[in-house]
């Protein structure tokens, strides 16, 4: 690493380029999906399909640059693992009723040891969410104003997560209000949902990479700073 990396991390224009990268990739993917015929398009969008699997793998890749500073960012790593599990539906496959289902904790269908493990995992997830929120909100307005690449990418990921939930079951949600939409619009909503989830994973990956660069730049030895200068 050189001193130039530290200067790069401090430039809002350079930091914003991270977000632009995510948006360009998402836009290209969305348009490419829309021009396909409905049959191959739905094949790519299906559960455990190419796009969903790619999203899950991006979360795993995002963990790699954070491992050297595990003790500092372990709640964020745990959240990435959780997101990956959700994409692979492991929260359902590894548990009798599903980790996030109330039936997992009531009734007689779940062994007590599995129920205890499930409860422990939920407590761990709750702690991680709390720590991520507390640490993420600390100085957030200042970091966003300064064009912090990590904050911008995480913010983009949160936005995509929220809008993907809106697009999820879009046809069903509108029917509740007596609104009917065409199959093509429903397919476009499904496409956006999956692309947004992919973009969420991509934005968190870029955020992890940006954090890795910033952390290394901040820990450049003084003698290397002088050589770089």
């Amino acid at each position: 690493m050189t001193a130039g990396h530290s200067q790069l991390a401090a430039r809002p224009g350079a930091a914003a380029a991270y977000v632009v990268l995510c948006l360009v990739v998402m836009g290209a993917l969305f348009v490419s999906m829309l021009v396909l015929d409905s049959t191959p398009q739905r094949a790519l969008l299906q559960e455990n399909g190419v796009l969903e699997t790619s999203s899950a793998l991006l979360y795993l890749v995002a963990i790699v640059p954070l491992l050297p500073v595990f003790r500092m960012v372990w709640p964020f790593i745990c959240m990435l693992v959780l997101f990956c599990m959700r994409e692979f539906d492991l929260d359902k496959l590894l548990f009798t009723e599903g980790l996030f289902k109330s039936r997992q904790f009531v009734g007689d269908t779940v062994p007590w040891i599995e129920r205890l493990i499930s409860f422990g995992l939920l407590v761990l997830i709750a702690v991680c969410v709390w720590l991520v929120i507390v640490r993420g909100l600390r100085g957030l307005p200042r970091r966003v104003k300064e064009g912090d690449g990590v904050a911008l990418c995480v913010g983009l990921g949160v936005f995509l997560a929220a809008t993907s939930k809106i697009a999820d079951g879009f046809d069903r949600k509108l029917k509740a209000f007596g609104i009917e939409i065409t199959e093509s619009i429903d397919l476009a909503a499904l496409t956006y949902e999956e692309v947004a989830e992919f973009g969420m994973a991509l934005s968190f990956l870029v955020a992890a990479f940006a954090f890795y660069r910033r952390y290394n730049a901040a820990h450049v030895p003084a003698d290397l700073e002088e050589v770089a200068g």
Side-chain angles (χ1 to χ4, degrees):
M1 286 294 167
T2 66
H5 287 172
S6 180
Q7 296 171 358
L8 175 65
R11 293 206 306 267
Y18 292 130
V19 175
V20 173
L21 170 64
C22 295
L23 293 175
V24 168
V25 172
M26 275 187 59
L29 181 59
F30 184 69
V31 172
S32 300
M33 296 286 287
L34 288 182
V35 299
L36 292 174
D37 292 333
S38 61
T39 300
Q41 186 177 354
R42 288 190 180 277
L44 291 171
L45 297 173
Q46 67 182 353
E47 290 291 323
N48 300 316
V50 174
L51 199 56
E52 191 172 274
T53 301
S54 299
S55 300
L57 293 177
L58 285 181
Y59 287 123
L60 290 180
V61 176
I63 294 172
V64 176
L66 299 178
L67 290 178
V69 288
F70 179 86
R71 293 179 60 184
M72 181 187 303
V73 297
W74 67 266
F76 299 90
I77 292 178
C78 288
M79 293 305 299
L80 292 173
V81 172
L82 175 63
F83 294 147
C84 179
M85 288 180 61
R86 288 281 288 176
E87 290 294 338
F88 281 131
D89 289 330
L90 295 182
D91 58 302
K92 301 181 183 71
L93 297 176
L94 298 180
F95 299 89
T96 302
E97 299 290 349
L99 180 60
F100 301 107
K101 300 293 185 181
S102 60
R103 295 190 302 273
Q104 182 73 14
F105 304 94
V106 297
D108 302 322
T109 60
V110 180
W112 70 268
I113 185 65
E114 181 185 334
R115 186 172 297 174
L116 186 61
I117 293 173
S118 301
F119 180 76
L121 287 175
L122 284 185
V123 171
L124 175 61
I125 291 171
V127 170
C128 289
V129 170
W130 170 253
L131 290 175
V132 166
I133 292 175
V134 171
R135 296 181 183 183
L137 292 179
R138 188 181 302 155
L140 182 61
R142 173 186 55 79
R143 298 202 309 272
V144 171
K145 184 178 180 180
E146 293 175 353
D148 184 295
V150 177
L152 291 174
C153 287
V154 171
L156 174 62
V158 172
F159 172 79
L160 292 173
T163 55
S164 69
K165 288 300 180 184
I166 295 174
D168 183 19
F170 193 57
D171 180 45
R172 182 185 68 255
K173 291 174 181 175
L174 290 181
K175 281 182 178 179
F177 297 96
I179 302 175
E180 297 282 345
I181 60 176
T182 63
E183 182 180 352
S184 61
I185 295 178
D186 183 48
L187 183 57
L190 175 61
T191 302
Y192 175 80
E193 176 195 351
E194 294 298 331
V195 171
E197 290 179 354
F198 176 87
M200 174 185 171
L202 177 63
S203 65
F204 288 159
L205 169 61
V206 176
F209 171 75
F211 179 84
Y212 172 79
R213 295 189 66 183
R214 188 176 67 187
Y215 178 84
N216 279 355
H219 292 77
V220 175
D223 55 343
L224 290 183
E225 290 275 7
E226 294 175 1
V227 172

